[in-house]
Amino acid sequence: MPLRRVVLAASLFFLALTGSRTVLRAQQVAAKDPMLEADHKIMAEIKDHNEIMANLEYLSDMIGARLTGSDNLTKANHWTQEQFRAYGLDDAHLEAWTIAHAWSRGTARGRIVSPAEHPLTIASLGWSPGTNGAVRGAVKYIKADRIEDLAQYKGKLKGAILITSEPTPFPPPYEPPPNPLLVPFEEPYILRPPANVPGQPPPPRPAYFRFLREALKFFRQEGALGVLLDSSKEDALLNMTGIGGRSYEIGALPVAFITSENYQLIWRLMKRGPVEVEMETTNSFSDKPVDVYNTVAEIRGTEKPDEIVILGAHLDSWDLGTGSTDNGTGSMVVLEAARALKKLGLSPKRTIRFVLFTGEEQGMNGSRAYVEAHKEELPKISAALIHDTGTGRVLSIGLMANYQDREIMDRVVAPLREIGLLESSQRSLDGSDHASFDKAGVPGFFAIQDPVDYNRTHHSQSDTFDRARGDDLVQGAQVLAAWAYNVAQLPELLPHKPAAEKKDDE
Ligand SMILES: [Zn+2]
């Protein structure tokens, strides 16, 4: 045997030896630690038998976009309820809450008329009224962040189409997405860097949208025709949000997103002189309030059924794509965690409840409604964990400064190190359903995920099934299912922090 082969054979033997020792050690540990043993079963069941991508494809392609208040969303509520039932969950049901107006998107078209003709790629904001036929007007830039700033425009807006910000510049090429674990701790929007970093989408501006909603009333009084917003996305992708606020009001004036490329073109042309734009949008509203639903199911606890661990995601979406990664992925991960835990028959001590919220995109309204409807139960909810930042792997769990839970959470997530889950983080993220629990004093945790291209595609035409990554979602379901089981088995409920002061943060 040539020397090289001897060395190779020897090292293979050594590897085999140490490898089998590792296996032996793992088995010994598993035998001693029922939590680890259960977690291994959960991980194997999800890896080998998951139905995540099949379910996500059905939700995306056969049901489609799921605007809050739409028939599609109700269809998705019923379908997920049926799936929970088919998986053998207990008490799969829908919990209703109400919105003032459902909104239906109609058509939208627009063009720059002069100084040169260019087509616009355009989409109405949610809860924006239509233009009532084609309207045409000079574009006017409004520089204002507060209602007081608007006085200077009195008498100057008749027949105008308004823009209300400078364009967001595109990024330098090959800029990697921000590492979600390295964004500064105090930044509440972990996946969104500070405003005006070239090429990064601006952080959501809830306060700005609240201002804009008020400003629209002034613009209408002054005779303006509509408002165009910058999508702040690359590759001619549109963005989407609502102008009806958390109360689902009818917007006072037509507002629409156009692509960044369109917006920058208008901005450049305005430096040369007057720019005239034509737009025509048709949208409609329900004439009365509409019931919408959260889908809820559970595995009842064997020893402490009235104590609850919640896994959640939001089933509603915006409607330019099919809401596949915002938040079909999270919803199907929660459904898969339910399937696997039920199938394994692990009989958790506490109840594990699975909640698919709605109205998240208009201000976490379904989870707020849930917390309100279940307020008697809140002291007995150990914690809620939400998966809502796209398809990426779960890197860590964000604890929202629940320092009192740190040590216990270290033990809860330790077995998940082998699927790449790092230690928990104290960071906070506002703007998804866990925050509704946090505000009520229940530990509301969120999955900190690999961003993949979430910021680029979410809320755009490109949020479709093909963006989802099966392997990442398998890992996400493994994390959620094992986390929920481990928390359900703890000797005590997770300690709660005092309820935060109520603030209107919409
Ligand atoms: Zn979302």
Side-chain angles (χ1 to χ4, degrees):
M1 196 187 273
L3 183 63
R4 253 192 327 190
R5 280 207 195 158
V6 174
V7 173
L8 185 68
S11 49
L12 280 177
F13 177 70
F14 178 73
L15 271 177
L17 202 69
T18 49
S20 65
R21 265 195 209 137
T22 314
V23 169
L24 204 66
R25 239 190 337 260
Q27 281 167 347
Q28 281 163 350
V29 171
K32 278 187 206 143
D33 183 345
M35 188 169 90
L36 187 64
E37 202 176 5
D39 288 355
H40 280 152
K41 282 188 195 156
I42 292 168
M43 288 188 246
E45 170 61 30
I46 293 173
K47 181 166 179 286
D48 297 338
H49 305 293
N50 79 83
E51 298 180 7
I52 301 171
M53 291 300 268
N55 283 335
L56 183 62
E57 186 171 350
Y58 187 87
L59 179 73
S60 302
D61 296 353
M62 295 301 289
I63 295 179
R66 298 169 304 283
L67 268 182
T68 299
S70 67
D71 291 344
N72 270 11
L73 180 56
T74 303
K75 215 185 282 178
N77 283 122
H78 287 292
W79 175 71
T80 47
Q81 182 188 12
E82 284 313 310
Q83 292 298 98
F84 280 125
R85 276 195 187 139
Y87 291 152
L89 276 276
D90 302 316
D91 193 27
H93 66 282
L94 305 186
E95 296 188 6
W97 56 284
T98 305
I99 68 174
H101 299 280
W103 176 80
S104 303
R105 180 183 300 285
T107 56
R109 60 172 199 87
R111 62 188 179 116
I112 300 171
V113 179
S114 72
E117 259 209 73
H118 297 277
L120 295 175
T121 303
I122 183 168
S124 292
L125 267 73
W127 281 263
S128 166
T131 53
N132 238 333
V135 294
R136 188 187 279 206
V139 181
K140 187 159 177 76
Y141 171 47
I142 304 292
K143 191 171 165 47
D145 287 314
R146 298 169 309 157
I147 293 294
E148 305 87 271
D149 301 337
L150 294 175
Q152 57 182 308
Y153 299 106
K154 195 143 182 56
K156 296 179 183 167
L157 302 182
K158 192 157 181 53
I161 290 178
L162 310 178
I163 59 173
T164 60
S165 69
E166 294 186 20
T168 307
F170 281 146
Y174 311 119
E175 185 88 343
N179 180 331
L181 290 175
L182 298 180
V183 178
F185 173 65
E186 290 302 331
E187 170 58 58
Y189 297 93
I190 55 155
L191 295 176
R192 298 167 192 255
N196 300 326
V197 175
Q200 301 295 1
R205 297 164 70 193
Y208 182 77
F209 273 92
R210 189 157 48 190
F211 154 75
L212 185 60
R213 209 159 51 246
E214 286 308 304
L216 289 181
K217 294 171 191 164
F218 171 81
F219 298 155
R220 186 180 58 189
Q221 272 167 23
E222 292 295 311
L225 303 173
V227 176
L228 297 176
L229 299 181
D230 181 358
S231 287
S232 302
K233 285 181 183 281
E234 291 178 79
D235 304 334
L237 291 175
L238 286 164
N239 212 333
M240 192 42 58
T241 188
I243 198 64
R246 279 194 39 225
S247 49
Y248 299 86
E249 296 161 32
I250 298 174
L253 201 65
V255 189
F257 276 113
I258 55 174
T259 64
S260 269
E261 288 84 348
N262 289 161
Y263 202 88
Q264 296 188 60
L265 170 60
I266 289 175
W267 191 258
R268 288 195 301 276
L269 290 173
M270 284 173 77
K271 287 183 183 160
R272 293 174 181 268
V275 177
E276 199 181 25
V277 160
E278 184 180 81
M279 65 189 280
E280 180 174 14
T281 61
T282 61
N283 301 308
S284 58
F285 295 86
S286 67
D287 45 15
K288 51 179 197 294
V290 170
D291 272 351
V292 296
Y293 309 93
N294 297 325
T295 307
V296 183
E298 64 188 31
I299 296 173
R300 205 152 296 139
T302 50
E303 288 176 28
K304 299 175 174 179
D306 57 335
E307 296 187 359
I308 301 153
V309 180
I310 292 180
L311 291 179
H314 69 87
L315 193 56
D316 67 301
S317 74
W318 286 114
D319 62 330
L320 297 182
T322 53
S324 298
T325 68
D326 186 13
N327 182 220
T329 42
S331 298
M332 297 305 98
V333 158
V334 168
L335 185 59
E336 173 60 22
R339 187 200 66 78
L341 287 168
K342 185 65 196 178
K343 185 174 165 205
L344 288 169
L346 291 169
S347 307
K349 284 185 201 170
R350 294 189 180 79
T351 295
I352 302 178
R353 191 172 289 165
F354 307 87
V355 189
L356 303 179
F357 302 103
T358 51
E360 191 278 344
E361 294 292 2
Q362 294 82 40
M364 313 182 300
N365 298 314
S367 52
R368 290 176 199 256
Y370 182 91
V371 165
E372 181 59 29
H374 291 259
K375 55 173 179 259
E376 303 298 315
E377 223 173 44
L378 298 182
K380 294 207 163 177
I381 299 179
S382 192
L385 174 60
I386 305 297
H387 186 291
D388 179 28
T389 40
T391 195
R393 303 170 70 78
V394 180
L395 306 175
S396 173
I397 291 175
L399 299 185
M400 303 283 285
N402 277 284
Y403 293 99
Q404 75 285 357
D405 297 330
R406 166 120 226 180
E407 218 179 297
I408 310 172
M409 280 295 291
D410 282 348
R411 270 179 282 142
V412 163
V413 302
L416 305 177
R417 185 61 57 98
E418 61 191 80
I419 51 169
L421 187 75
L422 305 174
E423 67 179 27
S424 303
S425 157
Q426 286 297 343
R427 74 173 51 253
S428 295
L429 166 74
D430 204 356
S432 186
D433 294 309
H434 62 281
S436 301
F437 290 90
D438 181 68
K439 287 186 175 78
V442 176
F445 302 154
F446 63 101
I448 299 179
Q449 296 174 250
D450 181 339
V452 190
D453 52 5
Y454 182 68
N455 275 336
R456 206 168 77 83
T457 58
H458 93 303
H459 295 195
S460 81
Q461 314 90 303
S462 197
D463 186 2
T464 46
F465 175 71
D466 30 283
R467 298 282 161 187
R469 298 181 178 185
D471 290 350
D472 289 355
L473 296 172
V474 165
Q475 187 263 9
Q478 289 171 322
V479 168
L480 262 64
W483 176 87
Y485 179 76
N486 295 352
V487 174
Q489 298 306 93
L490 289 171
E492 306 290 338
L493 291 167
L494 283 174
H496 291 197
K497 68 181 174 189
E501 268 177 47
K502 280 224 158 166
K503 54 176 183 181
D504 183 10
D505 56 349
E506 190 246 340

